[in-house]
């Protein structure tokens, strides 16, 4: 049985301000005798990931009979466990910034955002403000209590389309597990250079480029990655593809299509002959990639939900011009 009571000690939320954190009072079951502390916690608190529980133990937020412990410490049943959930300290520097977000859906558990091209999802080097995370904190202040303001997956800065954001810690854990289980359906529209003759897939591992470390590449020993693509429409010098991901590696579609000789139109990193493309393709200012459809199981209702986002104006206009030129 878990008892929850307010904690009078200060905690730090995602915006860097102190807040009261709930305390969980538990008892180690007798049938867990001989198990590690992190294993017992994972069994008693399945709504949290094992790594998150281990981080709390390491941070001293878990007491065993009133004392701090280690994740690998053995329990024998009957120990009193006191757990104080903590927000990710890495988010302490992020501030709320009030600018509009295109929200497709929102309830008490999650949001679905139609991210515009040009918007950075998460603060990082060179982009410490004006990100989607900053806007989320202004729109829903309760996200201060959720690591990364509830963000569970990302899109590149210049990729447009759908993202899901969790509004609670348990929903975030559930959605991350769905991503890990590859049960989240993500479909993209991509305008690839050249003539793609038929539907296909690219099943090739992705990792850091061995020389250019800011780029990704198909490399031996990389993480498994699979992209399915289907021809939607053919033009003189480009092909509109529908891409579906089995995995979610960094720059996956961009890297995979470039690896088969059909990089994305406008891609500043993976299209080697971007400037040599014929007009109007050479004028498109970003990679032509849009996350058009997203489907997953709602963490509370248990029902599958799906969402669609229309093409943004710049991408749609480019296609209209190409159709006129047919």
């Amino acid at each position: 049985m878990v008892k929850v009571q307010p904690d009078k000690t200060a905690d730090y939320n995602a915006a860097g301000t102190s807040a009261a954190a709930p305390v969980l009072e538990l008892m180690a079951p007798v049938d867990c005798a001989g198990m590690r502390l992190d294993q017992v916690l994972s069994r008693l608190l399945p709504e949290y990931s094992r790594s998150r529980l281990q981080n709390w133990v390491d941070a001293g937020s878990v007491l065993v009979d009133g004392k701090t412990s280690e994740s690998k410490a053995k329990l024998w049943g009957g120990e009193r466990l006191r757990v104080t959930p903590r927000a990710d300290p890495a988010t302490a520097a992020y501030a709320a910034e009030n600018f509009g977000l295109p929200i497709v859906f929102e309830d008490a558990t999650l949001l679905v955002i139609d991210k515009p091209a040009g918007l950075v999802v998460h603060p990082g080097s060179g982009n410490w403000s004006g990100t989607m995370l900053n806007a989320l904190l202004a729109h829903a202040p309760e996200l201060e209590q959720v690591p990364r303001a509830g963000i569970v997956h990302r899109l590149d800065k210049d990729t447009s389309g759908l993202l899901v954001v969790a509004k609670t810690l348990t929903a975030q854990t559930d959605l991350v597990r769905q991503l890990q289980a590859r049960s989240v359906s993500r479909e993209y529209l991509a305008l690839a250079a050249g003539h793609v003759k038929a539907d296909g897939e690219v099943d090739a591992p992705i990792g850091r480029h061995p020389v250019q470390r800011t780029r990704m590449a198909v490399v031996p020993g990389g993480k498994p990655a699979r992209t399915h693509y289907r021809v939607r429409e053919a033009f003189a010098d480009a092909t509109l593809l529908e891409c579906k991901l089995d995995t979610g590696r960094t720059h996956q579609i961009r890297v995979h299509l470039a690896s088969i000789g059909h990089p994305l139109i406008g891609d500043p990193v993976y299209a080697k002959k971007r400037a040599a493309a014929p007009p109007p393709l050479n004028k498109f200012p970003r990679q032509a990639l849009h996350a058009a459809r997203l489907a997953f199981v709602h963490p509370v209702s248990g029902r599958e939900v799906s969402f669609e986002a229309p093409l943004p104006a710049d991408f749609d206009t480019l296609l209209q011009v190409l159709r006129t030129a047919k």
Side-chain angles (χ1 to χ4, degrees):
M1 182 176 181
V2 179
K3 294 182 180 179
V4 180
Q5 62 185 55
D7 183 10
K8 302 301 182 180
T9 60
D11 187 19
Y12 287 96
N13 55 29
T17 58
S18 62
V23 172
L24 306 176
E25 301 279 2
L26 310 97
M27 183 75 72
V30 175
D31 61 357
C32 287
M35 294 174 62
R36 291 164 46 118
L37 172 58
D38 57 352
Q39 293 173 325
V40 175
L41 290 172
S42 183
R43 173 174 167 178
L44 294 175
L45 300 171
E47 64 270 33
Y48 302 120
S49 67
R50 176 76 69 84
S51 62
R52 180 166 291 148
L53 293 169
Q54 289 173 336
N55 287 338
W56 290 345
V57 173
D58 294 341
S61 296
V62 177
L63 301 182
V64 179
D65 288 334
K67 299 179 180 180
T68 57
S69 186
E70 297 181 344
S71 293
K72 64 183 180 181
K74 295 289 183 66
L75 300 185
W76 303 107
E79 292 91 346
R80 291 179 295 106
L81 308 178
R82 180 181 173 90
V83 181
T84 304
R86 302 284 177 176
D88 187 349
T91 62
Y94 305 143
E97 295 180 35
N98 193 10
F99 60 88
L101 278 176
I103 297 173
V104 175
F105 173 83
E106 181 175 12
D107 63 11
T109 303
L110 55 85
L111 298 112
V112 176
I113 308 292
D114 184 4
K115 187 189 85 67
L119 179 63
V120 174
V121 172
H122 195 280
S125 179
N127 295 284
W128 292 110
S129 63
T131 71
M132 193 179 86
L133 181 145
N134 300 118
L136 285 169
L137 292 174
H139 172 76
E142 64 270 27
L143 289 173
E144 291 183 344
Q145 301 302 319
V146 185
R148 299 177 301 282
I151 294 169
V152 296
H153 64 122
R154 306 184 190 185
L155 294 175
D156 296 337
K157 175 183 177 181
D158 288 327
T159 297
S160 57
L162 296 170
L163 284 166
V164 61
V165 176
K167 295 175 73 173
T168 68
L169 194 57
T170 53
Q172 187 184 49
T173 300
D174 184 275
L175 289 167
V176 168
R177 286 175 175 168
Q178 289 188 53
L179 285 166
Q180 292 171 340
R182 303 179 182 178
S183 60
V184 175
S185 177
R186 291 169 289 174
E187 296 181 12
Y188 295 73
L189 290 176
L191 187 63
H195 182 56
V196 181
K197 296 180 180 179
D199 303 349
E201 71 173 50
V202 182
D203 189 352
I206 291 177
R208 288 287 171 190
H209 192 284
V211 178
Q212 298 171 304
R213 303 302 292 174
T214 58
R215 298 179 54 177
M216 308 302 288
V218 170
V219 294
K223 293 182 179 180
R226 183 183 296 113
T227 303
H228 304 270
Y229 59 88
R230 184 168 68 87
V231 175
R232 284 278 298 267
E233 192 171 357
F235 304 101
D237 298 292
T239 307
L240 181 64
L241 301 176
E242 181 180 285
C243 299
K244 188 172 183 179
L245 302 182
D246 282 355
T247 52
R249 307 305 177 200
T250 301
H251 300 175
Q252 180 171 322
I253 292 174
R254 299 167 65 186
V255 170
H256 271 172
L257 291 182
S259 74
I260 61 172
H262 297 286
L264 292 178
I265 294 298
D267 194 323
V269 177
Y270 301 103
K272 296 180 180 178
K273 300 179 180 180
R274 179 186 178 192
L281 300 177
N282 62 346
K283 302 298 183 181
F284 199 67
R286 64 179 180 92
Q287 65 260 14
L289 185 62
H290 175 66
R293 283 179 287 278
L294 177 67
F296 53 88
V297 174
H298 193 285
V300 173
S301 71
R303 297 178 180 177
E304 182 175 280
V305 291
S306 61
F307 305 92
E308 294 190 17
L311 281 172
D314 62 343
F315 200 152
D316 187 57
T317 298
L318 176 61
L319 294 181
Q320 295 301 333
V321 173
L322 293 175
R323 288 172 183 136
T324 302
K326 277 187 176 182

